[in-house]
Amino acid sequence: MVKSTRSSVTSFMKTKLRKGAWSLEEDQKLIAYIHSRHGNWNWVVTPKAAGILRTGKSCRLRWLNYLRPGIKHGNFSQEEDETIINLHQQLGNRWSTIASRLSGRTDNEIKNHWHTHLKNILQETETDDPSEDDDLLLSNLQKPSNVNANSSPLLSSSSSGDPAGEIYNNQTIEENDGSSQTYVELQCLWDPVPASFPMEGLYGTTTYTLASYYDDGDDVSAYLLMQQNEESV
DNA sequence: AAACCCGTCAACCGCTTCCTG
DNA sequence: TCAGGAAGCGGTTGACGGGTT
């Protein structure tokens, strides 16, 4: 059985595989497939089963870094910057470990943010009077980012060609009881939107409940209430 | 207006670690 | 215990957009 699966996957791999940016259709297929699997899927067979001409590895990366529910995109807050800097001092380039302590951020995003922003801020800070390090670091972190929020394909209303921009976080509510809830706006990539469904993510199984839904013809969106289960954190 | 430069970030690549039979 | 495959991880690349000349 394994052999037949493997051989069919191998023959699938011999077909021309796509590279580069993901299309809306590919994203829709991947989301639909993962949704249909209810948290139980295998990355090796995913592309074939979902009808995507990509490697399983590429599908996994796309899902984990972009399509997975609960992913935050856009500018990092000052608190997040400070957390990353502190953790990097302790852990070094262990991006996945750092990401696991920043809810909603991926290792890839943190790594990019480090190389493009934080590393430079630290270097600037170190070249000045060391006695003023703390104040300088804080003021540097408070500088407005060079990155315009609209430059992110996720938040841009312009047509960047990246369909995943249609999923983004709307609001995060952190509570002190160990659980967190996040409202997620989802431009519907599947239809119909179920009233409630569980989905396994990097931080455990998350249950999504339909909070509101609107359809004005061209623009169909659902607001989902994400409940991250305490035991999964 | 066009060419060039630079910063950003999604995606790829290859190595390592984990898991399963 | 070991080997092979799957998943995870971090470094690197390349496309793209905005700014500058």
Side-chain angles (χ1 to χ4, degrees):
Chain A
M1 292 190 289
V2 172
K3 189 178 180 181
S4 65
T5 301
R6 192 176 300 154
S7 64
S8 69
V9 168
T10 303
S11 66
F12 172 74
M13 297 286 282
K14 286 177 183 171
T15 62
K16 186 78 177 175
L17 295 178
R18 273 175 52 83
K19 282 189 175 183
W22 280 63
S23 67
L24 171 62
E25 188 185 3
E26 288 175 308
D27 281 342
Q28 286 175 330
K29 284 178 177 177
L30 183 57
I31 290 170
Y33 174 73
I34 288 175
H35 181 214
S36 74
R37 299 297 298 170
H38 299 290
N40 178 25
W41 68 89
N42 176 316
W43 290 119
V44 176
V45 302
T46 290
K48 183 172 188 288
I52 299 168
L53 293 175
R54 301 269 181 174
T55 63
K57 209 170 181 176
S58 181
C59 292
R60 174 185 164 272
L61 209 63
R62 182 65 176 172
W63 173 253
L64 290 179
N65 288 342
Y66 222 84
L67 301 176
R68 178 166 54 99
I71 297 288
K72 276 191 224 167
H73 291 284
N75 289 348
F76 281 65
S77 68
Q78 187 187 322
E79 288 74 21
E80 286 176 313
D81 283 347
E82 289 171 359
T83 303
I84 292 167
I85 289 168
N86 286 334
L87 289 173
H88 188 267
Q89 284 175 345
Q90 298 168 30
L91 302 167
N93 296 351
R94 296 175 63 187
W95 305 115
S96 64
T97 307
I98 294 171
S100 70
R101 304 199 195 171
L102 279 163
S103 178
R105 298 292 186 181
T106 68
D107 56 348
N108 205 36
E109 195 171 21
I110 291 170
K111 180 174 59 183
N112 283 333
H113 184 60
W114 173 264
H115 287 302
T116 56
H117 292 98
L118 301 181
K119 193 169 72 176
N120 296 334
I121 289 171
L122 281 181
Q123 281 171 354
E124 279 178 35
T125 304
E126 283 168 5
T127 57
D128 288 281
D129 184 352
S131 65
E132 296 174 359
D133 269 5
D134 288 346
D135 289 343
L136 196 60
L137 177 60
L138 188 61
S139 66
N140 281 341
L141 286 175
Q142 287 170 337
K143 285 179 187 173
S145 168
N146 291 335
V147 183
N148 184 336
N150 288 333
S151 69
S152 166
L154 292 168
L155 301 175
S156 174
S157 57
S158 64
S159 174
S160 66
D162 196 329
E166 294 178 343
I167 302 173
Y168 56 91
N169 283 344
N170 196 40
Q171 185 180 1
T172 301
I173 305 164
E174 290 291 339
E175 297 178 347
N176 294 328
D177 62 1
S179 65
S180 65
Q181 292 183 337
T182 303
Y183 283 93
V184 179
E185 183 183 2
L186 173 73
Q187 299 279 96
C188 292
L189 295 175
W190 60 76
D191 187 34
V193 176
S196 177
F197 59 92
M199 189 172 285
E200 188 173 284
L202 192 62
Y203 308 109
T205 300
T206 302
T207 301
Y208 292 86
T209 304
L210 185 62
S212 66
Y213 180 81
Y214 67 84
D215 179 353
D216 65 2
D218 294 330
D219 195 7
V220 181
S221 293
Y223 283 88
L224 301 174
L225 173 61
M226 183 179 87
Q227 174 73 56
Q228 184 147 331
N229 300 329
E230 186 174 351
E231 68 273 17
S232 67
V233 177

